[in-house]
Structure formats: structure tokens, C-alpha cells
């Protein structure tokens, strides 16, 4: 009887710890998404971004967005034109701490981009979130429409956080190791050594 009571108590504690870790992990992801949305609004509504995107003025886009990315600690920001082509991506290299630039990738097949270009909306609105594979590993990305000065769609803006960075933050708050799988159960990231 004593062994059964002790075992049941330990099992209940373990299950409660798992539930608490899951709750904390979900809260961290929601907070990260809110941060992405705040930064998307700041960038999308910065004067000149919409018209520069419409005109495909990459140097001006970089001049407008790089300081915002630096100040906000954004790991990745991508600007996509109406054809779904990446005009500019600024990705923070975790090794050097410098932003690397990329452009020219066709992102039109990515749901985060395609939904915006097709003016799709879900029950939450016209912003979308998802996992995207990058040169630095998978990341949590949020996308938003960018409008020009006349209020017409000029393109898409994406902001992302590397999954490794996100998991490290979750681990420190949840006091638990995490493992993330994709839909086919392939390992995406883990905090386990």
C-alpha cells in the first residue's frame, strides 16, 4: 500500500511537471508571436517601406529595415514582392553576430507568402505564422502584408526567430528539455545534448 501511494504521488508530480512545462512553452511561443507582430507593424508602417517595396528599391529597403532589425534584436527579416520573389533577407548569423544578406529566392509557394499574396484571411486575420527552414535551421516566422502609399498591396514582410533560440528561451523558463518534430515526425530541433 505504501509503495503504491508513493508511486502514485511521484507519477502525479511527473504528470503535473509535464503539464506545467507545456503551458510555459506555449506561453513563450505566444509572447514571441506577439513580439513578431509588434515588429511587423513597426516595419510595415515605417514611412517609405511600402513604396520602396513597390518600386523594388532594395538599397532603400535595407536602409529602412536594418536599423529596426538591429534595435529590436530581430534574427531574420525578409521582404517579398508581389511575384513572391525575395527582394531582401537580412539574417543574423549566430556565429559572427552580423546580418547576412540574401535575395532572389522564389518564396511564392510558402504558405506564409502565398496567403498574403492571395489576400487570404483566417479567423485571426491576415497575419500568418509557421515554421520555415532557413540556412541557419528551422525558424518560427510571422508574415504580414505591406501596403504602398495608396493603400494597395506592395508585398509581404516576414520576421523570424531561429527555433534553436526560441527553444533555449523556453528551456530556461520551463526548466525542461524540449524536442520539436515536424508533421512527418522528423526531428527539427532539440535542447537535449
Amino acid at each position: 500500500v505504501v509503495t503504491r501511494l508513493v508511486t502514485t504521488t511521484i507519477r502525479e508530480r511527473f504528470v503535473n511537471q509535464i503539464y506545467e512545462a507545456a503551458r510555459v512553452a506555449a506561453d513563450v511561443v505566444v509572447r514571441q508571436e506577439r513580439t513578431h507582430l509588434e515588429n511587423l507593424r513597426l516595419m510595415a508602417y515605417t514611412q517609405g517601406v511600402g513604396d520602396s517595396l513597390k518600386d523594388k528599391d532594395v538599397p532603400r529597403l535595407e536602409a529602412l529595415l536594418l536599423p529596426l532589425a538591429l534595435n529590436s534584436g530581430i534574427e531574420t527579416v525578409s521582404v517579398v514582392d508581389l511575384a513572391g520573389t525575395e527582394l531582401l533577407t537580412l539574417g543574423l548569423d549566430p556565429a559572427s553576430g552580423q546580418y547576412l544578406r540574401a535575395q532572389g529566392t522564389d518564396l511564392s509557394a510558402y504558405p506564409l507568402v502565398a496567403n498574403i499574396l492571395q489576400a487570404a484571411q483566417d479567423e485571426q486575420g491576415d497575419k500568418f505564422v509557421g515554421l520555415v527552414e532557413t540556412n541557419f535551421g528551422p525558424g518560427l516566422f510571422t508574415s504580414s502584408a505591406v501596403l504602398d502609399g495608396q493603400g494597395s498591396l506592395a508585398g509581404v514582410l516576414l520576421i523570424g526567430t531561429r527555433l534553436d533560440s526560441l527553444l533555449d528561451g523556453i528551456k530556461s523558463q520551463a526548466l525542461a528539455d524540449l524536442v520539436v518534430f515536424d508533421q512527418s515526425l522528423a526531428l527539427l530541433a532539440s535542447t537535449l545534448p
Side-chain angles (χ1 to χ4, degrees), residues 28-63:
V28 172
V29 172
V30 168
R31 280 196 306 273
Q32 185 63 51
E33 174 64 12
R34 283 186 188 142
T35 301
H36 281 182
L37 289 171
E38 290 168 5
N39 287 317
L40 278 171
R41 285 184 195 103
L42 175 66
M43 290 181 164
Y45 292 107
T46 294
Q47 186 174 356
V49 169
D51 290 329
S52 298
L53 176 52
K54 181 180 176 183
D55 297 338
K56 299 183 181 183
D57 186 348
V58 175
R60 177 131 169 84
L61 283 168
E62 184 174 346

Side-chain angles (χ1 to χ4, degrees), residues 160-176:
T161 301
R162 288 186 344 273
L163 203 51
D164 289 340
S165 302
L166 187 60
L167 291 183
D168 287 343
I170 294 172
K171 179 180 178 175
S172 68
Q173 292 182 36
L175 303 175

